[in-house]
Amino acid sequence: MFGWNRKRLATSLLLSSALVLPVLLMLALPDALFSKSLDTRSSKAPAPAVSAKKAHRLVMSINSDDPTTMRAVVSTALNLPRYYQTINEDVTIEIVAYNAGLHMFRLDTSPIKDLLQTLRMVNPGAIRFVVCELTKAGMERSEGRQIPLIDNVDSMPSGPARVIELQEAGWSYLRN
C-alpha cells in the first residue's frame, strides 16, 4: 500500500510539474521573445521598421516695421533649418506679414531685401513668405498706388487668420 501511494504521488508530481513548468517558463522569459508572431505558416521575415523622418512646421508672424525685429525673424528662419539638418529632420517655415510688418516684403521699403534673398537661397523650398491682402489693400489706398512686393511672396485674405489656421492645423508658432 505504501508503494502504491508513492507511485501515485510521483505521477501526481510529474503531471502537475508538466502543467506548471510551461507557465513558469513563460513568466521567467523576457517579453521580447514572445513579441514576434508565432505564425509559422508564412516564411517571410518581418519587414524592418521604417522610421519616418520627423518634419517640423513653424509659422512666424511679423507685424512691425522695425528692422531689428525683421532681422530676428530672418535669423530664426536661417538657423532653425541648419539645426534640424544636423539631426536629420525637416522643417518648413512660413513667415506671415501683416500691419506694419508688410514692409518686410515690400520691394520699395524693405530694409532687409538682401537678407531675404539669402534666406531663400540657403533654404530653397523650406521657406514661404505670405502677406495679408487686407493690409496690402489698406496701404495701397493710403498711398494711392500699387505696393510692389519682392519676388515669390504669396498673399492670404487675412494675415492673422492665416497664423491661427496654421496653429489649428498643428503648426508651431514663434513670435518675435
Side-chain angles (χ1 to χ4, degrees):
M1 189 158 158
F2 184 72
W4 181 81
N5 283 338
R6 217 182 202 178
K7 205 182 232 185
R8 192 170 163 192
L9 182 62
T11 304
S12 288
L13 286 174
L14 186 60
L15 283 174
S16 64
S17 65
L19 295 173
V20 172
L21 189 57
V23 173
L24 290 175
L25 282 174
M26 283 179 33
L27 292 173
L29 291 174
D31 289 341
L33 293 176
F34 293 98
S35 64
K36 294 186 179 166
S37 173
L38 298 177
D39 186 2
T40 57
R41 292 175 285 178
S42 173
S43 61
K44 284 184 181 179
V50 178
S51 63
K53 193 174 187 181
K54 190 166 184 174
H56 304 275
R57 300 171 305 165
L58 172 66
V59 59
M60 294 188 293
S61 64
I62 179 77
N63 63 359
S64 167
D65 61 355
D66 176 43
T68 303
T69 304
M70 292 178 187
R71 282 188 200 93
V73 169
V74 170
S75 177
T76 300
L78 276 171
N79 293 318
L80 206 56
R82 288 182 190 150
Y83 166 75
Y84 282 118
Q85 286 170 355
T86 64
I87 60 171
N88 199 30
E89 294 179 0
D90 293 329
V91 65
T92 301
I93 299 172
E94 187 164 311
I95 301 172
V96 180
Y98 56 93
N99 295 337
L102 195 82
H103 287 282
M104 181 170 173
F105 299 123
R106 283 183 60 162
L107 192 58
D108 59 343
T109 61
S110 176
I112 61 163
K113 284 183 279 201
D114 296 338
L115 282 175
L116 293 173
Q117 286 179 333
T118 302
L119 178 59
R120 278 279 170 86
M121 289 185 331
V122 171
N123 301 308
I127 306 289
R128 181 178 184 207
F129 301 146
V130 176
V131 296
C132 173
E133 288 176 5
L134 291 171
T135 299
K136 185 174 182 275
M139 285 182 175
E140 289 173 342
R141 269 192 313 276
S142 166
E143 296 179 24
R145 64 185 180 98
Q146 291 290 320
I147 300 293
L149 299 175
I150 64 169
D151 291 336
N152 300 314
V153 175
D154 298 318
S155 64
M156 294 289 160
S158 170
R162 178 66 180 166
V163 172
I164 291 168
E165 290 164 1
L166 290 176
Q167 284 184 284
E168 290 173 344
W171 287 56
S172 299
Y173 174 68
L174 284 181
R175 183 167 190 261
N176 284 302

